[in-house]
Amino acid sequence: MTDTIKINALPNLHTISGKNLHESSDEKYKEYRKKWSEWPENFYHGNFPLFLDIEVTNNCNYKCKFCATTYFDSSIKKGFIDYDTVKKIIDEGIKEGLYGVKFNDRGEPLLHKEIVKFVKYAKVSGLIDVYFNTNAILLKEETAEALIEAGVDRISISIEGYNKDVYEKFRVGGDFERVFSNIKKLKELKKRKCSEKPKIRIQTVLLNELSKDLNNYANFWSPFADEICYIDYKEESDSSLRMKDLEYPWACHQLWQRMIIWWDGTILPCNEDDRGQLALGNIRDRSIKSAWDSIYHGMLREKHIAGKSHEIPVCNTCYLRDSEIKKLIEGCKK
């Protein structure tokens, strides 16, 4: 089934306006993005992941109804990563040819008091793609200035709508005026410092109520960002998983591109496993490279290559898998 497997290197992010933040004239960066596309397309995983998601905390200051983090149960321990762990991760990555890191997975990274220190260490170490996603309510001017000086390459800011009523309906716990002010100040800071970085992406989850208003969304936010995007909505309900138990020629790109390391050191093969059921061990006990090359990780890849991702329980109930297969099936009908 290998020849017919469908795989998409960046499946659920769609640009509405502006430029793709990954466009670059730098040869090393172009090499990195070429591998990002070609490795999953060729089912090649190289010597080491191209990219690591380092979760600095799984705490969040919002309670968005469409986010899995909102529904964590009491069995999921909350915490913050320590600097020595971040340093250990980046040091191994640099040795093995790592290109970049994102400093979050399940939580809000600006809650971590050492986020600027983490960014600075990643850039001083030589990583060329250092970024994080944020709701921006804590992106006050002094923090933004420190991040610019630390060298952060890009920041993705998650915003639903372009007015107070819509934003605060979906971003529960948010403050539209405060977020808007922070974004304007970030734009002004970049201009004042004559800095092209961080490149700014403003993005929304494509909720039904927002899908018909994307042009106005883009027009409102374009003056403050380099790129405006939307992310496919994932229904956080098992009843939506129509593709559950279905054998289908589809494979997940993440298994050939990246790995995730939680605040407590847990190593994971993808960022859709919110409960750590596919854990490959802990960086306290093993290297990232050994997890990347492990027999278990290889088994996950082989199942996907064979179109049998449904035989992996976590993948079988994965919202990304479900939405991607639905899109493929709909595409075949057209």
Tab-separated table of all heavy atoms in Angstrom, residues 9 90 141 144 187 198 202 204 211 232 305 307 326:
chain	number	residue	atom	x	y	z
A	9	ALA	N	2.776	17.286	4.616
A	9	ALA	CA	3.782	17.759	5.559
A	9	ALA	C	3.289	18.881	6.469
A	9	ALA	O	3.835	19.105	7.547
A	9	ALA	CB	5.033	18.222	4.810
A	90	ILE	N	18.439	20.840	24.167
A	90	ILE	CA	19.039	21.623	23.080
A	90	ILE	C	20.476	21.177	22.810
A	90	ILE	O	20.885	21.070	21.643
A	90	ILE	CB	18.969	23.128	23.405
A	90	ILE	CG1	17.502	23.583	23.376
A	90	ILE	CG2	19.805	23.942	22.413
A	90	ILE	CD1	17.279	25.004	23.824
A	141	GLU	N	5.014	44.812	26.928
A	141	GLU	CA	6.083	45.451	26.162
A	141	GLU	C	7.481	45.016	26.598
A	141	GLU	O	8.332	44.727	25.758
A	141	GLU	CB	5.964	46.979	26.266
A	141	GLU	CG	6.935	47.716	25.353
A	141	GLU	CD	6.647	49.198	25.280
A	141	GLU	OE1	5.682	49.662	25.925
A	141	GLU	OE2	7.381	49.897	24.562
A	144	ALA	N	8.100	41.500	25.332
A	144	ALA	CA	8.302	41.511	23.885
A	144	ALA	C	9.698	42.024	23.533
A	144	ALA	O	10.386	41.451	22.668
A	144	ALA	CB	7.242	42.379	23.215
A	187	LYS	N	4.411	45.234	17.289
A	187	LYS	CA	4.646	45.773	15.953
A	187	LYS	C	5.483	47.055	16.022
A	187	LYS	O	6.441	47.232	15.253
A	187	LYS	CB	3.306	46.057	15.281
A	187	LYS	CG	3.396	46.684	13.906
A	187	LYS	CD	3.783	45.687	12.860
A	187	LYS	CE	3.694	46.295	11.462
A	187	LYS	NZ	4.063	45.332	10.411
A	198	PRO	N	10.662	39.113	15.756
A	198	PRO	CA	10.050	37.875	15.292
A	198	PRO	C	9.045	38.103	14.173
A	198	PRO	O	8.323	39.099	14.162
A	198	PRO	CB	9.343	37.340	16.533
A	198	PRO	CG	8.972	38.573	17.290
A	198	PRO	CD	10.117	39.530	17.075
A	202	ILE	N	-0.716	35.575	12.905
A	202	ILE	CA	-1.954	35.624	13.672
A	202	ILE	C	-2.886	34.578	13.063
A	202	ILE	O	-3.068	34.518	11.845
A	202	ILE	CB	-2.583	37.023	13.642
A	202	ILE	CG1	-1.717	37.985	14.470
A	202	ILE	CG2	-4.016	36.993	14.181
A	202	ILE	CD1	-2.215	39.410	14.519
A	204	THR	N	-6.458	31.782	13.590
A	204	THR	CA	-7.711	31.441	14.256
A	204	THR	C	-8.053	29.978	13.997
A	204	THR	O	-7.717	29.431	12.944
A	204	THR	CB	-8.884	32.310	13.742
A	204	THR	OG1	-10.074	31.949	14.443
A	204	THR	CG2	-9.111	32.153	12.245
A	211	SER	N	-16.140	31.053	9.934
A	211	SER	CA	-15.706	30.609	8.608
A	211	SER	C	-16.142	31.542	7.476
A	211	SER	O	-15.473	31.619	6.442
A	211	SER	CB	-16.215	29.192	8.337
A	211	SER	OG	-17.626	29.145	8.373
A	232	ASP	N	-7.596	24.197	10.909
A	232	ASP	CA	-8.799	23.361	10.863
A	232	ASP	C	-9.316	23.082	12.270
A	232	ASP	O	-8.545	22.777	13.183
A	232	ASP	CB	-8.493	22.029	10.169
A	232	ASP	CG	-8.157	22.206	8.705
A	232	ASP	OD1	-8.597	23.206	8.114
A	232	ASP	OD2	-7.440	21.346	8.163
A	305	ILE	N	2.727	3.541	7.381
A	305	ILE	CA	3.125	3.271	5.997
A	305	ILE	C	2.201	2.231	5.361
A	305	ILE	O	1.886	2.300	4.168
A	305	ILE	CB	4.594	2.792	5.941
A	305	ILE	CG1	5.547	3.959	6.273
A	305	ILE	CG2	4.939	2.234	4.555
A	305	ILE	CD1	6.994	3.538	6.438
A	307	GLY	N	-0.899	1.882	5.983
A	307	GLY	CA	-2.294	2.327	5.995
A	307	GLY	C	-3.092	1.759	7.143
A	307	GLY	O	-4.320	1.702	7.101
A	326	LYS	N	-11.080	12.527	6.349
A	326	LYS	CA	-12.335	13.102	5.853
A	326	LYS	C	-12.072	14.002	4.653
A	326	LYS	O	-12.798	13.955	3.648
A	326	LYS	CB	-13.022	13.902	6.957
A	326	LYS	CG	-13.690	13.066	8.026
A	326	LYS	CD	-14.216	13.955	9.135
A	326	LYS	CE	-14.793	13.132	10.279
A	326	LYS	NZ	-15.199	13.983	11.430
